[in-house]
Amino acid sequence: MFLFLSAFKIQAQNISPIEKMAAEGYAKRFSDTVSSLKIQKQALNLAQKNKNKEDEVICYSYLALTQRRLLHLKEFMHYADTAFYLSQNITKIRVKAHASVAMGALKSYIEDKPQALNYLLEGYTLFSKVNAHDQCAKIASDISYLFSPASPTKVEKYAREAMIHASKSGDPESQLYARLAFGSFLTDNLETEGIGEWETAINFFKETVSLTEANADKIVSKSNIGIAYVNLADLYTKGPKPIDEKAFLMNLEKAENIAKKYDVKIILRSAIGLKGYYFMQKGDYIKAELLFIEGINYQKSLPYTDNYLFATFYSCLKDVAVKRKDFQAYYGYDTLYSKFTQLKYKESTQALLQNADARYESSKKAERIKQLELENELEQKNKLLGYGIAGVLLIGLVFMFRSYYYRQRYYQNREDFLQQEQVHNELKMQLMEKETIENLAARLSLERRLLRSQMDPHFIFNALGNIQSMILQKDTIPAVSYLNKFAKLTRQVLEQSRKETISLEEEISTLKNYIELQQLRLNNGFDYIIKCDENVETDVLIPPLLIQPFIENAVEHGLKPQENSVKGLIEIYFKEDEEQQSLICTIKDNGIGLTASRKLKINDTHQSLSTTITDERLSKMKKENPNAGFAIKERDPETDNHGCIVILNIPILS
């Protein structure tokens, strides 16, 4: 399988001059690498000078793919990561598509196939939305290669989609790229389909070569032309015997001509090796040996060493020596084969380590990007919360000013009635006390709406109603006591919702306040018990505000609909699981139970958003604490009692 990322041909819609400049530079990567990089970096400098982030992302994407061809991993990572990071704050589809494809190419290069598929599929989807058929053809081809050999069905699916996009694009380079992918799929099928599939494959590659020759001047990736010839020649060796030697050698000769004309070294080596292997199978050992030696000498003339290729050629020479029964030559070839095999192993090991380091660095950067996104999101939420609090305070100040103004007018209008001063003073004090308590209750109610639905709005409304009732009945002391408890609970929830962790002692204190207010709201219609095992330390740290939503559900859906003759009971037990580093909280109620509660929910307007939020929070904790979660079940009336049981597994945080 030959996997090469081709040029991204620019679509005609909404293309800036800087992007065109970068694309033109990228197209020169095969013919003039120095000029290609120079033009692309000039385009990047212009984008940065103009402060155009969209052009900047696309320039970084092109530079990343160019560095891939040059095998410069460090630069490849830098440009791909930068493009992807900058693209997170951009909404333009094509820009995000370019960045995703660059990241997909990087993950493929460092052999992180799952991530490579994720990014390439994202880029493919985005380019499809803007009908960029030439890019889609190349990306679908690369996806097809990545699915091979694990998923033949998906290999075929994306190879066929690549052919469809290539046909719509009318771009010869994209068409060749897609046809190579589909041809690879057909070749892989030869092992199972037999001679009929071979004829289909050979005709397909003949048509591919014919189309390529007709449009050779329009194809930038000359190596892909050579690959088409090599693949067609190789296909002849897989067909009926004897093979069409003339066609086989003719296609290899064309591949060699392409390789020499455009200095595509890998094509020349492949052609020489394939030809030598053919003559060895044919029994012409002298010609095969000369070809393998020619391949070795050619490799030695290059400015770099390919130990894998040397090992392959010397392995073939060993086979030739065995066939010729020249054991002296075999010994010499075997010595060199062992040498280059060891060097190849060392290079392979080094490459694995390098790719592992690259995957680690890339994953760290990806996590950092996610962290920055979360921090930005949190900052925006904090701003909105700040604006909300400021608005509430402003409304309170306006209301207090108006109240003060009208009170002054009230005093002035009553100055003429001095004989009723004492009565009016008592009335004034009562009115001030009532207004002060009501204003405080209203302000607390508004502040509660800013919290994340951690307390039931019905509960808040009823609690404030009870306060108002006490005020109107002139039960000042109980009203103030009740209001103090309500204010304390509000403050606890507000403070704890801003913390990452709280102690179990703080959580129990908050629960007691909440339950006692619910008791008062329901006219002491239920009791409660909170117990901890002996091994539970109350200073352990847990996530805040996880238990209250379940108490709320127990009251609203279990105890509140219960018959008045039955005394409600909520039992809360804590025990510690030292192996799992978690706190097990068991909540029992003797209410009407799950089945009866579901029947009543048809006419129930109460919706527990806080329980949904708790479920989401626990789900996110599963990444580091797999046991985090909760279960709700019906109590067995025969062995236990009526009602529900909630078992909550809370991770203990350090």
Side-chain angles (χ1 to χ4, degrees):
M1 180 178 65
F2 298 90
L3 181 57
F4 296 95
L5 280 172
S6 276
F8 278 26
K9 186 175 179 183
I10 299 300
Q11 297 292 304
Q13 321 107 332
N14 302 322
I15 306 302
S16 70
I18 292 178
E19 184 176 344
K20 290 180 181 178
M21 181 179 177
E24 290 168 2
Y26 181 66
K28 294 179 179 289
R29 67 195 183 283
F30 293 106
S31 58
D32 188 349
T33 302
V34 175
S35 176
S36 172
L37 288 172
K38 182 179 179 181
I39 294 172
Q40 290 182 66
K41 288 180 178 178
Q42 287 176 347
L44 176 60
N45 290 335
L46 284 174
Q48 292 172 336
K49 183 178 179 181
N50 295 340
K51 297 182 179 180
N52 189 319
K53 291 297 181 183
E54 294 179 353
D55 283 340
E56 192 175 341
V57 168
I58 293 177
C59 289
Y60 277 123
S61 300
Y62 279 126
L63 281 165
L65 297 178
T66 304
Q67 295 297 338
R68 173 190 172 119
R69 181 185 176 276
L70 298 175
L71 307 180
H72 295 163
L73 177 57
K74 185 176 180 180
E75 291 80 1
F76 185 14
M77 285 183 59
H78 168 70
Y79 288 130
D81 287 335
T82 304
F84 188 74
Y85 172 72
L86 294 177
S87 70
Q88 299 307 295
N89 296 321
I90 295 176
T91 57
K92 192 172 182 180
I93 293 176
R94 290 184 63 260
V95 176
K96 297 183 79 68
H98 275 289
S100 295
V101 171
M103 279 298 291
L106 172 62
K107 297 298 183 180
S108 176
Y109 186 88
I110 61 178
E111 300 180 4
D112 188 354
K113 186 180 289 188
Q115 287 297 320
L117 282 169
N118 287 339
Y119 286 116
L120 288 177
L121 286 168
E122 181 180 359
Y124 179 58
T125 301
L126 292 171
F127 272 129
S128 297
K129 290 181 179 179
V130 294
N131 295 322
H133 296 296
D134 51 353
Q135 285 94 338
C136 288
K138 296 162 192 173
I139 300 168
S141 300
D142 290 333
I143 294 171
S144 173
Y145 288 135
L146 286 172
F147 274 120
S148 178
S151 179
T153 303
K154 291 184 178 179
V155 171
E156 179 181 8
K157 175 182 183 294
Y158 287 101
R160 290 190 182 278
E161 289 186 13
M163 291 282 289
I164 294 171
H165 284 293
S167 176
K168 291 180 179 180
S169 72
D171 172 31
E173 181 165 345
S174 299
Q175 290 172 347
L176 174 58
Y177 203 95
R179 292 185 75 86
L180 287 176
F182 193 74
S184 177
F185 160 71
L186 294 177
T187 304
D188 290 342
N189 277 356
L190 293 182
E191 296 181 4
T192 57
E193 300 298 331
I195 191 65
E197 190 68 18
W198 180 84
E199 291 177 354
T200 301
I202 203 78
N203 290 331
F204 179 83
F205 268 106
K206 285 180 180 178
E207 183 182 353
T208 299
V209 167
S210 177
L211 291 171
T212 300
E213 290 173 346
N215 297 280
D217 57 330
K218 299 178 182 178
I219 297 174
V220 176
S221 305
K222 303 301 181 184
S223 59
N224 284 352
I225 301 176
I227 290 171
Y229 287 124
V230 171
N231 286 0
L232 179 55
D234 181 55
L235 201 56
Y236 277 110
T237 67
K238 294 178 171 62
K241 302 295 188 290
I243 72 170
D244 187 346
E245 183 174 311
K246 181 180 178 181
F248 171 76
L249 295 175
M250 179 189 69
N251 281 286
L252 286 182
E253 183 180 355
K254 289 181 178 181
E256 290 177 7
N257 292 336
I258 288 290
K260 292 174 182 177
K261 181 177 180 180
Y262 297 105
D263 193 26
V264 187
K265 300 175 181 62
I266 191 171
I267 300 300
L268 183 58
R269 296 196 303 262
S270 299
I272 293 173
L274 188 57
K275 190 185 296 184
Y277 184 76
Y278 166 72
F279 282 113
M280 183 176 70
Q281 295 296 318
K282 186 180 178 183
D284 192 344
Y285 303 125
I286 295 176
K287 186 175 288 188
E289 186 175 24
L290 290 174
L291 283 166
F292 291 139
I293 292 173
E294 179 187 349
I296 291 171
N297 291 334
Y298 174 75
Q299 182 60 42
K300 288 180 179 178
S301 69
L302 299 178
Y304 62 92
T305 301
D306 189 334
N307 294 312
Y308 179 85
L309 192 67
F310 279 132
T312 302
F313 275 128
Y314 280 117
S315 176
C316 293
L317 285 170
K318 283 172 56 181
D319 293 339
V320 171
V322 171
K323 298 285 186 181
R324 295 177 61 188
K325 298 182 179 180
D326 186 349
F327 298 108
Q328 184 177 359
Y330 176 88
Y331 176 76
Y333 293 144
D334 184 61
T335 301
L336 292 169
Y337 168 76
S338 299
K339 170 188 172 182
F340 287 108
T341 298
Q342 289 179 356
L343 293 172
K344 177 185 72 173
Y345 175 75
K346 290 180 181 179
E347 283 185 352
S348 176
T349 303
Q350 185 177 2
L352 286 173
L353 291 173
Q354 186 181 35
N355 288 342
D357 289 341
R359 286 195 295 270
Y360 175 71
E361 291 295 328
S362 184
S363 64
K364 280 204 310 183
K365 290 179 181 178
E367 289 298 324
R368 179 57 181 161
I369 290 172
K370 291 180 181 179
Q371 183 180 356
L372 289 173
E373 290 175 356
L374 290 173
E375 289 176 357
N376 290 335
E377 183 180 352
L378 182 59
E379 183 179 352
Q380 292 299 320
K381 288 182 178 179
N382 287 339
K383 285 183 179 179
L384 292 175
L385 182 61
Y387 294 150
I389 293 174
V392 171
L393 292 175
L394 180 60
I395 293 172
L397 288 172
V398 171
F399 185 78
M400 290 176 66
F401 175 78
R402 294 184 68 232
S403 299
Y404 175 79
Y405 173 75
Y406 285 112
R407 280 199 301 272
Q408 291 299 317
R409 288 188 57 187
Y410 175 80
Y411 298 150
Q412 292 174 3
N413 291 335
R414 294 298 186 272
E415 285 181 357
D416 295 335
F417 302 95
L418 296 177
Q419 66 276 18
Q420 300 179 4
E421 183 177 4
Q422 183 176 359
V423 175
H424 287 182
N425 283 341
E426 291 178 0
L427 180 61
K428 179 184 67 177
M429 292 300 294
Q430 292 176 2
L431 181 61
M432 288 177 63
E433 182 180 12
K434 176 182 176 181
E435 287 180 345
T436 301
I437 294 175
E438 289 181 344
N439 291 344
L440 178 58
R443 186 161 64 253
L444 288 173
S445 176
L446 287 171
E447 289 176 354
R448 297 308 299 151
R449 296 175 193 170
L450 298 176
L451 300 178
R452 303 169 184 171
S453 301
Q454 293 290 357
M455 288 178 57
D456 183 10
H458 290 74
F459 166 75
I460 296 172
F461 177 80
N462 291 332
L464 293 175
N466 287 342
I467 294 173
Q468 187 179 31
S469 176
M470 291 178 182
I471 292 170
L472 293 175
Q473 294 175 13
K474 297 183 181 181
D475 293 335
T476 307
I477 294 176
V480 172
S481 175
Y482 192 8
L483 183 61
N484 284 339
K485 283 190 176 184
F486 184 81
K488 182 179 179 182
L489 178 62
T490 303
R491 183 172 65 256
Q492 285 176 321
V493 174
L494 177 62
E495 291 175 351
Q496 292 174 11
S497 66
R498 296 175 179 174
K499 294 180 179 179
E500 294 293 331
T501 61
I502 62 170
S503 67
L504 176 59
E505 183 178 6
E506 291 177 293
E507 180 74 5
I508 291 174
S509 175
T510 303
L511 289 175
K512 286 181 177 179
N513 270 340
Y514 178 77
I515 294 173
E516 288 171 5
L517 285 171
Q518 286 281 27
Q519 283 181 312
L520 190 57
R521 183 171 74 87
L522 298 179
N523 297 319
N524 292 314
F526 70 93
D527 295 326
Y528 75 94
I529 299 172
I530 299 179
K531 289 185 179 180
C532 297
D533 275 6
E534 294 179 356
N535 65 331
V536 175
E537 298 179 1
T538 57
D539 60 349
V540 295
L541 298 179
I542 60 173
L545 302 172
L546 284 177
I547 303 173
Q548 178 268 330
F550 298 101
I551 305 301
E552 171 192 328
N553 282 347
V555 173
E556 291 295 331
H557 302 299
L559 301 181
K560 187 176 177 182
Q562 185 69 281
E563 295 179 3
N564 294 334
S565 60
V566 179
K567 185 72 170 183
L569 176 63
I570 295 178
E571 304 171 68
I572 306 171
Y573 301 98
F574 293 98
K575 68 177 181 179
E576 185 174 347
D577 188 332
E578 296 181 357
E579 291 184 3
Q580 298 181 0
Q581 283 293 301
S582 61
L583 188 69
I584 309 299
C585 176
T586 303
I587 304 169
K588 297 182 180 181
D589 69 70
N590 63 342
I592 63 173
L594 285 174
T595 304
S597 177
R598 291 192 185 105
K599 292 179 181 179
L600 292 176
K601 278 188 177 181
I602 299 174
N603 300 318
D604 189 7
T605 59
H606 178 269
Q607 297 180 352
S608 182
L609 178 60
S610 54
T611 306
T612 303
I613 294 173
T614 301
D615 188 22
E616 292 175 359
R617 291 175 63 197
L618 288 170
S619 296
K620 292 180 180 178
M621 294 177 193
K622 284 183 179 290
K623 295 179 180 178
E624 296 181 0
N625 302 276
N627 297 306
F630 68 89
I632 303 176
K633 60 183 181 179
E634 192 101 40
R635 296 176 71 175
D636 188 349
E638 295 182 1
T639 60
D640 189 5
N641 200 345
H642 288 283
C644 292
I645 299 177
V646 178
I647 300 175
L648 186 60
N649 196 317
I650 305 171
I652 296 177
L653 307 176
S654 55

